[in-house]
Amino acid sequence: MDLLCCCIRMAQRLLTSLGHNVPLPLRLISMKLAGRIKGSLSTSALRTLKKPWEPQHESSPFSNVTEAENNQVEVADEVQQVTEFVENRSNPGTSRCLTIQNSCCINYTSLFEPILIEDDDHDEDLTQNNKKDQLLEEPVDTNMQAHEIIAQLAMAINHKKVSRFNICRLDVWDGAVRGFRRNTYSDNNDLFIKFTDDAGCFEEGLDTGGPRRGFLTLLMNHLRTRPIFDGPQESRYIVYNSKAAREDEYFLAGKMVAVSIVHGGPAPHFLSKNLVNHTLGNPSFNATVEDVKDEEIGKVLREVLETESDESLQSIILQNSTMFQTAGCLWVVRTCEKQAFVEEYLRWYIIDRNHSSIQRFRDGLASLGFFTALQQHYSVLAPVLCFSCKALTASDMENMFTPDLSPPGSTRRQKEAKTLGFWADFLADSEEKLTVVSLKELLMFATGLAAVPPAGMMPTPRIQFITESPFPVANTCANILKLPLVDTYSIFKENMDFGIQNAPGFGCF
């Protein structure tokens, strides 16, 4: 009985703190509870029960409850009146009933809320634990380079087993999907790539280089244009696509990125930094309206940023209430808060609404242990996923290739030295856009790669010299570029442009 009285007193204190605007359902429950226990409590115990919903010196809307001369509280009468009021509330009986109803309706939403008991120490511990789960600390060895990390991951590849891919350059994606979804496919197997050229002949090779790197390069270029990505070409983020979700394309895309990097192919170099940060649990977010490719949405967001008065700002928000309500950010905004308001919408548009798709992409990145390595070395590996402003230069190309020269003093060595001068000039002209072929196309012709991969160039690219053909020839498996020995630079430049532009595949004849 003492315990029951204690519970009643606690409920009364809660009602007292709420004042006379107590929600009707809560008052009714309290009074019915008091009526039920009336018979089980002594008169002295009942006398201690005060009406917590009626503050002192103020009259309660329920003024019909009277107290007898012997100071006994007639709880049953009040319960009866409240019951009658609830049964007849659809009938506007008296002004007193209307007053009660209006008061309850106005304050019900704000008052009838769950009461949260805050524990600062506990919340702080949870926050710290969440941060520890989301952001992993950098490893002790921060001097590791990307190619060293990827070399460790590549040790899991079994070069005695292969996964077969039959690829047509006109539809790289179709052949890639079939290969990755084949029952015999394994991330840990080496890749066996078979290309079909335009003439219908087969060009194949068990990859020590060329076909594998060429296939992965084409695959990453095509992946950028898939409908699962949106945004600027150099900063793509994931968007939900119902067909892609049914076919689990998000997981497959993540797997393709991980396999390409670990197997020595190129990194995507087009993912948004916000996307990469979110997959790693990093709350950092920095987006602009230019990241939104939907013209109507971009127009509304720009109007919000350009408005100068609170009235016009609120008018724009109300006119596009559906758009902002869907994002969960429909509220009163002042001009000083418009930037934060737009950022909140952008976070929902880019990250929150696509969370499930991003999660599947992240699951795919876990292939071959790449995502774990990304968490442990995010300052090294995260940049390879994002766009880099650093372009390939003539100096990079010249230092990348090592020439195989004839013995010093020989006549052939003199011709080779002269051709090396032509090569350096051709690279410089290409960087200055004075040639038909770009540096990127030249590297693709020689190695099957349009950029230096995170794993580095393996084997080391080399230059050899030939007299059998006036045009350049490449062996992409061994990263060998064979330059023609000619008499003048004009002939060399013309033959290089023509040969690379008309080479089938990646330069293999």
Side-chain angles (χ1 to χ4, degrees):
M1 186 60 65
D2 293 339
L3 178 60
L4 187 55
C5 292
C6 181
C7 293
I8 293 300
R9 291 192 184 96
M10 291 179 63
Q12 291 173 342
R13 292 193 188 105
L14 174 60
L15 294 174
T16 302
S17 64
L18 293 176
H20 67 282
N21 290 324
V22 180
L24 179 60
L26 190 57
R27 296 179 61 177
L28 180 60
I29 292 171
S30 176
M31 289 183 290
K32 283 188 176 182
L33 179 61
R36 288 183 180 180
I37 67 171
K38 178 181 178 182
S40 60
L41 292 178
S42 63
T43 303
S44 59
L46 281 174
R47 186 176 293 115
T48 61
L49 295 176
K50 299 180 181 179
K51 292 176 286 187
W53 54 83
E54 183 175 4
Q56 295 181 1
H57 310 297
E58 292 185 23
S59 62
S60 169
F62 298 97
S63 59
N64 291 334
V65 179
T66 60
E67 186 174 350
E69 291 180 358
N70 57 359
N71 293 328
Q72 292 184 356
V73 180
E74 298 294 341
V75 181
D77 293 340
E78 183 169 350
V79 173
Q80 181 64 29
Q81 289 191 12
V82 174
T83 305
E84 293 174 356
F85 172 76
V86 173
E87 292 175 352
N88 299 322
R89 61 182 175 178
S90 61
N91 183 17
T94 64
S95 60
R96 184 188 315 167
C97 294
L98 292 175
T99 304
I100 295 171
Q101 190 176 21
N102 292 337
S103 175
C104 292
C105 291
I106 293 173
N107 296 283
Y108 182 82
T109 303
S110 60
L111 293 177
F112 200 68
E113 295 177 347
I115 299 175
L116 302 178
I117 302 176
E118 296 183 359
D119 188 344
D120 295 339
D121 296 336
H122 181 65
D123 292 343
E124 184 176 354
D125 293 340
L126 289 177
T127 302
Q128 292 178 354
N129 291 335
N130 290 336
K131 289 182 178 179
K132 289 180 181 179
D133 293 339
Q134 291 177 347
L135 291 175
L136 299 179
E137 295 182 357
E138 280 283 332
V140 177
D141 185 6
T142 57
N143 295 323
M144 293 188 68
Q145 301 297 318
H147 67 274
E148 296 174 333
I149 300 170
I150 295 171
Q152 291 182 356
L153 298 178
M155 294 177 65
I157 299 175
N158 184 358
H159 296 285
K160 295 182 179 180
K161 295 183 178 181
V162 297
S163 294
R164 185 186 184 94
F165 289 81
N166 298 306
I167 305 299
C168 174
R169 291 187 179 87
L170 297 178
D171 195 353
V172 175
W173 180 258
D174 181 63
V177 170
R178 293 198 310 270
F180 277 107
R181 290 180 174 169
R182 187 170 286 114
N183 292 333
T184 57
Y185 170 80
S186 173
D187 296 336
N188 299 96
N189 291 350
D190 210 338
L191 301 180
F192 184 91
I193 309 300
K194 178 179 287 187
F195 280 109
T196 57
D197 59 16
D198 296 338
C201 300
F202 288 100
E203 171 195 332
E204 61 180 276
L206 181 59
D207 286 296
T208 57
R212 180 183 69 240
R213 292 194 299 266
F215 160 64
L216 295 175
T217 298
L218 294 175
L219 182 60
M220 289 297 103
N221 289 337
H222 188 81
L223 185 62
R224 181 199 302 261
T225 64
R226 293 299 298 172
I228 64 173
F229 292 104
D230 196 8
Q233 288 297 313
E234 69 279 1
S235 182
R236 309 283 276 173
Y237 55 84
I238 286 178
V239 293
Y240 178 79
N241 181 283
S242 59
K243 181 180 178 182
R246 288 194 302 270
E247 297 176 355
D248 205 12
E249 186 174 325
Y250 298 97
F251 176 83
L252 188 60
K255 178 187 288 289
M256 289 175 175
V257 170
V259 168
S260 178
I261 293 175
V262 177
H263 278 265
H269 290 300
F270 61 79
L271 298 181
S272 165
K273 292 181 180 179
N274 294 320
L275 173 61
V276 175
N277 286 335
H278 181 72
T279 58
L280 293 171
N282 188 341
S284 176
F285 183 83
N286 183 21
T288 63
V289 178
E290 284 67 29
D291 293 328
V292 179
K293 289 304 179 182
D294 189 298
E295 295 181 0
E296 292 298 325
I297 294 178
K299 179 181 178 181
V300 172
L301 295 180
R302 278 188 286 269
E303 289 178 355
V304 170
L305 292 175
E306 293 170 359
T307 188
E308 297 180 354
S309 66
D310 292 346
E311 292 77 9
S312 59
L313 175 59
Q314 197 60 32
S315 176
I316 294 173
I317 293 176
L318 291 178
Q319 290 173 7
N320 301 275
S321 58
T322 302
M323 165 182 161
F324 293 111
Q325 187 176 25
T326 303
C329 55
L330 180 62
W331 55 66
V332 178
V333 182
R334 295 175 296 179
T335 52
C336 60
E337 302 168 335
K338 60 184 181 181
Q339 183 65 43
F341 177 76
V342 171
E343 290 177 359
E344 187 68 22
Y345 181 86
L346 289 173
R347 178 182 288 275
W348 171 84
Y349 186 84
I350 294 176
I351 299 296
D352 296 342
R353 73 185 180 116
N354 304 307
H355 176 74
S356 60
S357 302
I358 295 174
Q359 182 61 45
R360 287 302 291 160
F361 180 75
R362 171 179 170 171
D363 294 341
L365 285 176
S367 303
L368 289 168
F370 176 75
F371 186 74
T372 300
L374 180 62
Q375 290 177 307
Q376 296 173 347
H377 309 278
Y378 55 85
S379 64
V380 178
L381 294 181
V384 306
L385 300 175
C386 305
F387 174 75
S388 175
C389 296
K390 186 179 183 303
L392 191 65
T393 65
S395 179
D396 294 335
M397 289 286 291
E398 191 171 0
N399 295 330
M400 189 184 307
F401 287 84
T402 301
D404 293 341
L405 298 173
S406 300
S410 63
T411 304
R412 185 177 176 88
R413 174 64 177 268
Q414 295 177 359
K415 293 181 179 180
E416 293 170 350
K418 184 177 181 179
T419 303
L420 283 178
F422 296 162
W423 164 249
D425 287 341
F426 184 81
L427 294 177
D429 288 347
S430 181
E431 184 177 13
E432 297 175 6
K433 304 186 185 306
L434 299 177
T435 61
V436 178
V437 175
S438 66
L439 292 176
K440 186 176 179 179
E441 292 171 333
L442 179 57
L443 183 62
M444 185 75 176
F445 172 84
T447 65
L449 291 166
V452 180
M457 284 290 189
M458 293 297 294
T460 301
R462 303 198 314 274
I463 289 179
Q464 294 180 356
F465 304 91
I466 57 174
T467 57
E468 297 82 8
S469 171
F471 304 106
V473 178
N475 182 345
T476 56
C477 288
N479 286 339
I480 295 176
L481 174 63
K482 299 179 181 181
L483 299 178
L485 295 174
V486 294
D487 295 331
T488 63
Y489 175 67
S490 60
I491 297 176
F492 180 86
K493 179 180 178 180
E494 181 180 353
N495 290 352
M496 289 289 289
D497 282 337
F498 180 85
I500 294 174
Q501 278 191 306
N502 292 277
F506 301 106
C508 293
F509 286 127

